[in-house]
Amino acid sequence: MGIYEELQARGLIAQVTDEEGIRDLVNSGKAVFYIGFDPTADSLHVGHFMALCLMKRLQEAGNKPIALIGGGTGYIGDPSGRSDMRSMMTPEQIQHNCDCFKKQMSKFIDFSEGKALMVNNADWLLDLNYVEMLREVGPHFSVNRMLAAECYKQRMEKGLSFLEFNYMIMQAYDFYALFQKYGCNLQFGGDDQWSNMLAGTELIRRKLGKDAGAMTITLLLNSEGKKMGKTQSGAVWLDENKTTPFEFYQYWRNVADADVLKCIRMLTFLPLEEIDIMDSWEGAQLNTAKEILAYELTKLVHGEEEAKRAQESARALFTQGNADQMPTTELADEDFEDGSIDILTMLVKAELVPSKSEARRAVQQGGVDVDGEKVSDIKAVYAKDALTGEGVVLKKGKKNFRRIVAK
């Protein structure tokens, strides 16, 4: 089985422009491919996970990845699948985020000896002369076709700025620039980027001729990666200072039963033969599958030692409610009133809910427990002395929890 067939078997390919050409290109290890990353934060999150794993698989098969950081497009909004416009960043913010990305990507991608590249589209986009850009690229884009693209149609009702309207042109120019500078002949992206990706392929064909364009093949990842990365409390980051290895493990340990085997197939590097056996698992076996998923992905991001610690802590939490890596909230003296704290305040302090009204609702709906005992009284209070030492484990629902400790 070649790498292309493996990607198909893992459910990673949704649509391609030239299946035969792509298969020959990646199976022979001759693909120089790029995936884009927007530097809107100083850490990647699990929504990027599919792309990183894909780059790792293709590199191990002899292909060359290019991680394209959108330092230039970071100056404008991305209309794809969004209802609002992205806020603009300073050059210093963008550069800082780019530096953080490369450090995290290096856990997946080997950047040594020219085996992979990390480039910033600011290097060519920011130097473009506006009139030159209009003359060079403008004639190759039909406004009617652009407005028919799904990514723009979603914004038309609320209003589409001219700034954002240029995003497709800029992304198309990225592929054109990468093709000329680095011999990039393949691009990957989610289904929300399909129109932009096709525009890049078409631009190369129009500018350089059909023979050059024959190798500019666009491949489309399925949309599962876009669904990842969010919890009730926000994003799940790859930076351990934003999301601890334990929290990262727990995120994957708590995926839905219907998604766990799909995630194992798409994201882990376990042999397909082993995963095929798991496809028949059900009931309690799915909990075992979730542990496998959480362990494998935590190991990829944080290393084997942290994965083992997180797994041991998660098992301890399940059986005893005590775990050394559990996220902890320390309460100061001013958090207590007359030596005690009520359950609603404790939920807010633990950042398990945004407000006391949400805390009240959670208690009334039976979704809160302390050290394994359900809390049904919204006026329940806990003495400071009871929270010293190891403290207590406060849970909201099945997935959100904190150890509460008095300083």
Side-chain angles (χ1 to χ4, degrees):
M1 179 186 293
I3 183 61
Y4 182 80
E5 288 75 20
E6 181 178 346
L7 296 181
Q8 285 184 311
R10 290 183 179 274
L12 289 167
I13 297 176
Q15 185 175 337
V16 299
T17 54
D18 183 343
E19 185 168 44
E20 183 179 351
I22 290 175
R23 180 185 290 109
D24 292 343
L25 193 66
V26 300
N27 283 349
S28 63
K30 296 179 180 178
V32 180
F33 66 96
Y34 94 89
I35 296 179
F37 298 84
D38 292 320
T40 51
D42 59 2
S43 173
L44 298 167
H45 55 72
V46 300
H48 297 111
F49 215 93
M50 185 181 294
L52 294 172
C53 292
L54 177 70
M55 295 173 85
K56 179 177 174 68
R57 294 184 207 279
L58 286 166
Q59 186 181 52
E60 290 179 348
N63 300 286
K64 184 174 181 177
I66 299 176
L68 177 65
I69 305 301
T73 42
Y75 281 86
I76 70 168
D78 177 2
S80 302
R82 298 174 60 92
S83 60
D84 58 343
M85 181 174 168
R86 177 199 302 150
S87 59
M88 299 182 188
M89 297 180 294
T90 66
E92 292 76 19
Q93 287 175 315
I94 292 171
Q95 185 57 53
H96 172 72
N97 293 350
C98 290
D99 294 340
C100 294
F101 279 17
K102 187 166 186 178
K103 181 179 179 181
Q104 293 176 345
M105 287 179 180
S106 295
K107 297 180 180 180
F108 296 81
I109 304 165
D110 182 1
F111 286 98
S112 67
E113 301 174 357
K115 294 178 182 177
L117 295 173
M118 182 174 179
V119 299
N120 189 333
N121 64 10
D123 293 343
W124 53 83
L125 290 180
L126 297 187
D127 292 333
L128 285 174
N129 176 282
Y130 184 64
V131 174
E132 179 186 355
M133 179 74 167
L134 288 177
R135 287 175 56 87
E136 185 175 1
V137 179
H140 303 298
F141 284 82
S142 162
V143 172
N144 290 346
R145 289 179 60 186
M146 291 174 69
L147 290 176
E150 190 64 32
C151 59
Y152 288 129
K153 287 165 64 176
Q154 294 175 7
R155 289 298 313 275
M156 289 299 290
E157 292 184 5
K158 292 188 176 181
L160 177 68
S161 72
F162 182 72
L163 190 69
E164 295 171 282
F165 186 64
N166 279 268
Y167 191 86
M168 179 184 289
I169 297 175
M170 295 174 77
Q171 184 169 336
Y173 194 88
D174 281 344
F175 196 13
Y176 172 65
L178 290 169
F179 180 88
Q180 291 192 299
K181 290 175 177 289
Y182 306 108
C184 181
N185 50 31
L186 183 62
Q187 59 178 329
F188 289 75
D191 54 5
D192 62 329
Q193 294 291 309
W194 182 241
S195 297
N196 293 347
M197 295 165 71
L198 288 179
T201 301
E202 185 65 21
L203 178 61
I204 294 175
R205 290 175 177 168
R206 287 174 177 262
K207 292 287 294 180
L208 304 176
K210 292 184 177 180
D211 290 341
M215 293 303 293
T216 59
I217 306 163
T218 304
L219 180 148
L220 179 68
L221 289 173
N222 71 20
S223 60
E224 295 299 325
K226 299 294 180 181
K227 300 176 183 177
M228 300 174 185
K230 297 291 184 181
T231 67
Q232 291 181 345
S233 58
V236 177
W237 304 99
L238 304 193
D239 184 343
E240 63 181 12
N241 295 315
K242 292 177 175 288
T243 299
T244 67
F246 178 78
E247 291 171 319
F248 187 83
Y249 179 97
Q250 282 296 99
Y251 171 79
W252 296 107
R253 176 62 181 80
N254 289 318
V255 298
D257 289 356
D259 294 333
V260 58
L261 293 174
K262 187 192 305 181
C263 289
I264 288 177
R265 188 173 293 275
M266 291 191 300
L267 301 176
T268 76
F269 287 77
L270 296 175
L272 284 168
E273 297 80 7
E274 185 177 334
I275 299 172
D276 288 340
I277 296 173
M278 297 182 194
D279 279 339
S280 61
W281 287 7
E282 49 186 34
Q285 290 177 306
L286 292 178
N287 287 326
T288 301
K290 292 178 185 181
E291 283 199 338
I292 292 171
L293 172 68
Y295 179 82
E296 291 295 325
L297 298 191
T298 306
K299 182 172 68 173
L300 269 175
V301 175
H302 297 294
E304 188 169 10
E305 183 177 345
E306 289 291 354
K308 288 180 178 178
R309 282 167 53 84
Q311 186 174 68
E312 290 169 0
S313 294
R315 288 173 175 173
L317 172 65
F318 180 77
T319 57
Q320 185 67 31
N322 293 315
D324 61 0
Q325 269 198 314
M326 191 184 308
T328 299
T329 296
E330 291 188 345
L331 299 177
D333 289 340
E334 56 266 26
D335 294 323
F336 295 89
E337 184 176 346
D338 296 329
S340 63
I341 185 171
D342 65 86
I343 186 64
L344 304 186
T345 301
M346 196 154 65
L347 283 164
V348 173
K349 292 289 183 181
E351 298 183 342
L352 294 177
V353 294
S355 65
K356 285 193 175 183
S357 60
E358 289 290 330
R360 184 181 295 104
R361 188 176 300 112
V363 172
Q364 291 172 337
Q365 292 176 348
V368 175
D369 70 62
V370 174
D371 276 351
E373 294 186 8
K374 184 173 292 188
V375 180
S376 56
D377 184 2
I378 61 172
K379 297 182 180 180
V381 294
Y382 297 85
K384 181 179 179 181
D385 290 345
L387 303 180
T388 57
E390 293 187 352
V392 297
V393 176
L394 176 63
K395 284 189 185 180
K396 175 184 169 290
K398 294 181 179 179
K399 301 180 181 180
N400 302 297
F401 49 86
R402 288 288 190 280
R403 182 191 300 281
I404 309 298
V405 178
K407 288 185 179 179

